[in-house]
Amino acid sequence: MLFNSLSFAIFLPVVFLLYWFATKGNLKLQNKLLLVSSYFFYGCWDYRFLFLLIFSTLLDYYSGIKISEASSKKVRLFWLWLSISINLGFLAVFKYFNFFVASFADGISLLGFKPSFLTLNVLLPVGISFYTFHGLSYIIDIYKNRIKEERNFIDYSLFVSFFPLLVAGPIERATHLLPQIKRERNFDVSKAVDGLRQILWGLFKKIVIADGCAEYANMIFNNSSEYNGSTLILGALFFTFQIYCDFSGYSDIALGTARLFGIDLLKNFAFPYFSRDIAEFWRRWHISLSSWFRDYLYIPLGGSQGSIWKKVRNTFIIFLVSGFWHGANWTFIVWGLLNALYIMPSIFFETNRRNLDVVAQGRIFPNLREIIAMGVTFGLTVIAWVFFRAKDLHHAFEYLGGMFSTSAFSKPQIFPRSIILLIGVFILIEWRGRMQEYAIANFGFNFPKPVRWAFYYTLVLAIVWFAGEKQQFIYFQF
């Protein structure tokens, strides 16, 4: 069930009305309703995936109890690693098995052998990377004595499978979401209105900007050998805005939907394309994943402690794993390693915590230094996204070669003025909202009411106008 589909437009109001009016404020009934709704939502993709989700939930629920009851560190470690191994084992089979087999076969063939290996013809369960990380953080936090085990199976199951975040995040923490699930929730009009605004902005990002950019990004990337350098640059730019508006649009809809039910999810994006260096970019892009790797991988490895070479090692490990998390393809691994290289100057010169404030704080316009820093960071990010989008490494290098050829100074073969204009408008709205929780939340609150409502209606009309064939969100494949 897509967020940008008619079925979700029916599903959400039905669940909302049942939640606030049929349960009569009964917390247990509310949680049961949300859990059933979440399983229905997930089952609409493929009911067979439900069995894997429920098994993973049972595994981590039971492991959490056994860890808390264990009388020795050895037993605690056993249950911890049992849960980690099985969870990562599922990921390895469903997501990476064929990649490992194909890569091994390619390596053997370089020695002159022509092996034939078995591969699996299985579908990748939607959202498996996301709900697996929900469970892993829960188990690790219990082992580290950060939280107590959850004995209520309904509450724990809802934490893992709450439908707004189930398919593509944000990756929640038990320390943040479980207390809200267990706390009485009362309807808050202002919170619901903010949620609707965020849903509206997320739909605009997805349907108008992301899907509009996707049309041209797909055309150019899929036929890159036919276009000159300037057109390839445009294709890379279109994909850059496509992936941001697609994924942050999903996150906006997820956060807004959760707010309708009185629940606040973790913020996942903070205007990353206004970053002044790569370190800042990764503090603002897919925040829930970046912070997950920081807390459960980078810091346990030693983090920023120790020698400079240990910092370099830990940084490369976390970006390598991040790339691998995104997909079973060498393009994602190179994308991760490239970002690790980008961030090295911040590591060596210890400037990775320099830009903690919002760019042009308290000012309408950035200064020249900020403009240059944002431009360089954005350019490096666009280059990295080419690897993310390309079908293989050969395609990526061929595409980049075309981008940096002399034909980059020629007239683009494709120049869709309408989508370029929309991207410009989008950037202006984001810039104005960069100091807010999200761009649309307080947009125009100092304007007269008719102007504000004209803006909201314009977004609605744009969504309806551009709505066409429903496209899946990019991060569903991860």
Side-chain angles (χ1 to χ4, degrees), residues 288-302:
S288 63
L289 179 66
S290 300
S291 61
W292 198 100
F293 280 129
R294 178 198 65 205
D295 295 342
Y296 297 104
L297 183 59
Y298 184 71
I299 292 177
L301 285 171

Side-chain angles (χ1 to χ4, degrees), residues 333-345:
I333 294 175
V334 172
W335 169 78
L337 292 176
L338 186 58
N339 275 282
L341 286 173
Y342 285 167
I343 210 169
M344 283 300 105

Side-chain angles (χ1 to χ4, degrees), residues 211-223:
D211 289 355
C213 286
E215 178 183 351
Y216 297 100
N218 293 339
M219 183 190 308
I220 296 170
F221 269 90
N222 294 341
N223 306 281

Side-chain angles (χ1 to χ4, degrees), residues 47-67:
Y47 72 91
R48 294 171 295 179
F49 295 160
L50 273 173
F51 297 105
L52 184 61
L53 172 62
I54 293 171
F55 177 83
S56 178
T57 302
L58 284 167
L59 169 69
D60 295 330
Y61 171 77
Y62 188 71
S63 297
I65 292 175
K66 299 303 290 185
I67 289 172

